Amino acid sequence: MGDAWYSGELRAWIRRADTWWAHIDYTLPDSTTHVVTVPSSRLRSDDPRAHDPDTRRAQRPRGAPSEG
């Protein structure tokens, strides 16, 4: 949020026009919890689930089972 990065939990992907948005729950240092919806370009994670569905589909190895 702003220039700060907080840990969060991805709850859902939402498609708006040509952009994927992530619905995220996060907690501030003072322990207050918040929910935010941000464009996928604002996410920063090594977890493949944090990549939008189109990106994950493109990265899936050929012959790998699709997500169900």
Side-chain angles (χ1 to χ4, degrees):
M1 307 313 318
D3 290 335
W5 290 93
Y6 299 104
S7 295
E9 186 171 341
L10 176 65
R11 293 299 187 166
W13 284 109
I14 303 161
R15 179 102 182 185
R16 294 182 184 159
D18 292 334
T19 303
W20 282 102
W21 293 71
H23 190 73
I24 306 288
D25 290 347
Y26 68 99
T27 305
L28 293 176
D30 66 3
S31 298
T32 58
T33 58
H34 301 271
V35 177
V36 66
T37 303
V38 297
S40 62
S41 61
R42 299 237 352 245
L43 298 181
R44 181 174 69 179
S45 176
D46 293 333
D47 188 328
R49 293 171 293 182
H51 298 284
D52 68 65
D54 289 341
T55 302
R56 284 195 322 258
R57 192 173 300 113
Q59 291 175 345
R60 187 177 304 127
R62 189 176 198 110
S66 62
E67 297 175 19

